[in-house]
Amino acid sequence: MASVHHARADPDTRAGNTRARYRRILRFAAWQLAVAWWFELFLPRIGLRHIADRNRSDRMLRFARRFRNLAVDLGGLMIKVGQFMSSRLDVLPPQITAELEGLQDEVPPVPFPAIRALAEAELGAPLETVFAFVEETPMAAASLGQAHRAHLLPGNAADTGLGRVVVKVQRPGIAAIVDVDLAALRKVGRWLSRIRAVANRADVPALVEEFAQTSLEEIDYLNEAANSERFAADFAHDDRVTVPEVVWERTTRRVLTLEDVTAIKITDAAALRAAGIDPAEVAPVFAAVMFDQLFTNGFFHADPHPGNMFITPVAGSTSGHPWKLTFIDFGMMGEVPPQTRAGLRKLLIAAAARDGKGLVAAIRDVGVLVPSADPAGLERAMTQLFARFGGMGFAELRDVDPREFRDFAAEFGDVVRSLPFQLPENFLLIIRAMSLTSGVCSSLNARFNLWDSVEPYAAQLLRDERGNLVRDVAAQTVDTVSLALRMPQRLDNVLSRIDEGSVQVAIPRLERQVSLLVRMGQRVAYALVFGALLLAGAVIRVNDTALSNVLMIGSVIPLLFGLVLGRRRP
């Protein structure tokens, strides 16, 4: 009877814990919103902004510490939220990001008996009959699951070619915890959407739904396995990257078995040097691979923190480096739609060219700046920003006198804050990926300058864009020539119909006027051909001087014909 009573009590206990968890998250959020409203909205409105400014740094630090305690105590998606905030170096003060960055590795593991029970229920057999060996101590413990080293049975190892594997098992009960956390986050999102200053900047409920979709996909290991294979296919012919193979026979929605590709952690500088690998050489390669994912493939790893990447030494590599980048954990992946990707490519090119006006146009194209905004002030701010700080790495920026940043913020801060920015869908993961990329590169090389990786990549994109433009110009030139050749015949047909009497004519000298029209049409056609050839030659001059010269010289021929026609009398 006791056991029956205990079994009945468990659901009630879980329901009580669920309600308590939900209420605790909402209480924390409500208090922090009240504090923010008081200091950031109310006090400045009554002329007491100096009070809010005076202790803002301390308030940010207290908030970060309280949230860290909440996340460590509750786990679940609160860890993910904290990890995301720790990567937002672009918008959050260092007091918050520094306090929360330790959440990456601070999750306590689940005892192995609970992991064993879940794995056996998923796989439908005792672990001893599925694996030759499973290590009880986890090699990694994350907020949603944990990983254990294992060996496949000899028959499975022979079939797959893999002996050592990693078995990733979901935390028991995590699905229910995720549901509760998402319900609380949706509630907070609705609160924020009622604040005009927030609603003007972002559709918070939509961002919460994007986060929810990502989180639900992350606890579906079949989805992660499919992501892993898609990512591997994208880099199948790239010697810089390697990806673990999936053991599908030992994979379910809550258990994932992968090839063990454990190697040197990407930020372990001492181990890299011991293996003869210069950490400073890793940074630009890693940045270039991330750029390829975002700007070329459109399918990217959205959680590239140091725990998800290894450096694998390789003998006889053809990539120019005796090592490869090994990515793991494909639960959090992002996709960049073609239109957004085109806007990001323009943004990257403008940033590399230090083109403030082009950068603002690209920001508008990707949807961050609403179409109704007046960009003049922002263009001036970006131009000044590039003029003063463009090309500096993080280490160089740290050496800049803080007063310069304050002066810039004083001059342009109101301009930037007054503009109607918004955060489009899919941007949460893009921002996270780029923030983590910058952080990893800086840890590999304190003097690393992201511009050094951006510029050659942007130059290649610009060459690609020019190639597309040349093809477009060539197609337009063919169309123009075709039109020029067809136009006289079409006008002659009209004249023939007039000669045959099929058109009643009562206007004197019509033939003379139509003849004049024919010559005008020809002149226009020759002018179009001249312009198209001249433009095509100018565009490809950087890449192919010989062809450029031929096109530009050839453009003289239609120009001469046009001039001769212009001098003829009708």
Side-chain angles (χ1 to χ4, degrees):
M1 290 294 293
S3 60
V4 173
H5 176 76
H6 179 71
R8 289 178 177 175
D10 280 346
D12 296 335
T13 301
R14 287 196 296 270
N17 291 340
T18 295
R19 288 192 295 269
R21 180 185 185 91
Y22 179 78
R23 288 196 297 266
R24 185 174 175 186
I25 295 172
L26 292 185
R27 280 198 304 270
F28 179 88
W31 173 253
Q32 296 305 323
L33 286 174
V35 170
W37 175 84
W38 175 263
F39 285 99
E40 304 302 332
L41 295 177
F42 180 74
L43 291 183
R45 186 171 297 174
I46 62 175
L48 298 177
R49 181 184 294 274
H50 63 283
I51 296 178
D53 294 342
R54 189 169 55 201
N55 62 356
R56 180 175 289 111
S57 178
D58 291 338
R59 286 201 312 276
M60 294 295 101
L61 185 58
R62 284 197 298 271
F63 163 76
R65 286 175 176 168
R66 288 169 181 164
F67 184 85
R68 181 194 184 100
N69 292 337
L70 177 77
V72 170
D73 190 24
L74 294 180
L77 290 188
M78 293 301 101
I79 294 286
K80 290 292 180 184
V81 173
Q83 289 175 347
F84 178 75
M85 288 195 294
S86 73
S87 69
R88 290 305 306 272
L89 304 174
D90 52 336
V91 296
L92 293 178
Q95 296 92 336
I96 291 180
T97 57
E99 184 68 26
L100 296 179
E101 63 185 0
L103 284 172
Q104 303 285 7
D105 304 310
E106 204 176 87
V107 185
V110 175
F112 186 72
I115 292 294
R116 172 192 284 274
L118 190 150
E120 291 180 344
E122 284 291 306
L123 297 174
L127 287 185
E128 291 78 8
T129 64
V130 178
F131 297 100
F133 164 78
V134 178
E135 190 173 285
E136 295 190 5
T137 302
M139 60 183 295
S143 56
L144 303 181
Q146 63 189 50
H148 294 258
R149 286 191 173 91
H151 295 168
L152 291 177
L153 294 171
N156 298 135
D159 292 339
T160 61
L162 305 174
R164 299 174 181 273
V165 294
V166 171
V167 181
K168 185 175 176 180
V169 183
Q170 203 174 96
R171 282 179 170 256
I174 193 63
I177 291 173
V178 167
D179 288 342
V180 172
D181 291 356
L182 289 178
L185 290 174
R186 288 184 176 109
K187 184 78 169 180
V188 175
R190 289 193 293 272
W191 289 347
L192 290 171
S193 67
R194 296 190 181 99
I195 302 173
R196 183 180 302 174
V198 176
N200 289 341
R201 300 284 177 173
D203 185 350
V204 179
L207 295 178
V208 171
E209 289 308 315
E210 183 181 346
F211 180 76
Q213 179 182 352
T214 302
S215 301
L216 293 173
E217 288 175 353
E218 198 168 357
I219 59 174
D220 182 352
Y221 287 167
L222 291 174
N223 179 72
E224 180 175 344
N227 287 341
S228 175
E229 292 202 335
R230 178 178 172 185
F231 189 88
D234 283 346
F235 289 95
H237 304 293
D238 193 326
D239 290 333
R240 300 171 300 173
V241 177
T242 185
V243 178
E245 292 186 30
V246 178
V247 183
W248 285 100
E249 296 81 1
R250 297 291 179 263
T251 296
T252 70
R253 195 175 65 83
R254 297 199 291 173
V255 175
L256 174 61
T257 305
L258 298 161
E259 174 188 5
D260 188 353
V261 292
T262 307
I264 304 171
K265 189 175 181 179
I266 191 170
T267 52
D268 189 345
L272 289 173
R273 292 191 183 95
I277 300 170
D278 183 359
E281 292 182 358
V282 175
V285 176
F286 171 58
V289 168
M290 290 303 299
F291 288 153
D292 282 341
Q293 296 172 47
L294 283 162
F295 301 111
T296 303
N297 300 342
F299 182 66
F300 64 94
H301 198 301
D303 197 22
H305 65 75
N308 284 341
M309 287 175 297
F310 298 112
I311 299 298
T312 304
V314 178
S317 172
T318 59
S319 64
H321 305 285
W323 47 268
K324 289 189 176 187
L325 283 166
T326 300
F327 286 79
I328 63 170
D329 194 350
F330 299 92
M332 187 184 294
M333 304 295 290
E335 291 199 54
V336 187
Q339 183 177 355
T340 303
R341 203 183 321 161
L344 289 175
R345 288 160 71 99
K346 291 179 183 177
L347 192 149
L348 186 65
I349 292 170
R354 318 293 200 270
D355 178 5
K357 187 173 182 178
L359 186 68
V360 174
I363 290 173
R364 187 194 292 273
D365 286 348
V366 297
V368 174
L369 190 63
V370 299
S372 61
D374 180 8
L378 185 60
E379 289 174 2
R380 189 163 53 90
M382 292 297 100
T383 300
Q384 292 292 325
L385 181 68
F386 282 132
R388 178 60 190 92
F389 307 113
M392 288 188 178
F394 288 107
E396 293 171 296
L397 288 173
R398 283 195 291 266
D399 296 335
V400 174
D401 190 335
R403 287 175 295 185
E404 292 196 43
F405 292 116
R406 285 197 295 270
D407 291 343
F408 181 86
E411 183 176 358
F412 296 107
D414 291 339
V415 172
V416 175
R417 282 191 293 270
S418 65
L419 287 171
F421 287 101
Q422 61 184 3
L423 198 57
E425 191 177 356
N426 302 316
F427 259 60
L428 278 177
L429 295 181
I430 293 173
I431 292 170
R432 174 178 174 80
M434 292 311 298
S435 298
L436 289 172
T437 299
S438 297
V440 170
C441 289
S442 296
S443 66
L444 287 165
N445 179 8
R447 308 298 298 184
F448 176 77
N449 189 340
L450 192 61
W451 296 106
D452 293 339
S453 293
V454 168
E455 287 176 337
Y457 196 87
Q460 180 60 49
L461 289 180
L462 189 57
R463 286 193 292 271
D464 294 343
E465 295 296 330
R466 282 176 175 168
N468 293 335
L469 179 58
V470 170
R471 287 192 292 272
D472 292 343
V473 168
Q476 291 173 10
T477 301
V478 171
D479 291 342
T480 301
V481 171
S482 177
L483 176 64
L485 294 174
R486 292 196 307 269
M487 185 181 293
Q489 181 62 43
R490 289 182 176 180
L491 292 173
D492 284 342
N493 291 338
V494 173
L495 286 174
S496 297
R497 291 174 60 192
I498 293 172
D499 286 338
E500 293 167 359
S502 58
V503 176
Q504 296 296 323
V505 179
I507 301 175
R509 299 184 300 174
L510 180 60
E511 290 186 18
R512 182 178 176 184
Q513 296 298 326
V514 173
S515 178
L516 177 61
L517 181 60
V518 170
R519 282 194 296 275
M520 288 177 63
Q522 289 175 327
R523 288 181 65 194
V524 170
Y526 286 129
L528 288 172
V529 174
F530 162 72
L533 291 174
L534 186 65
L535 178 59
V539 168
I540 68 170
R541 189 164 188 81
V542 175
N543 299 323
D544 194 334
T545 305
L547 179 57
S548 171
N549 290 335
V550 171
L551 291 174
M552 297 179 78
I553 293 171
S555 70
V556 175
I557 297 173
L559 177 63
L560 292 175
F561 273 103
L563 292 175
V564 170
L565 282 171
R567 291 183 178 180
R568 282 187 182 178
R569 290 187 178 275

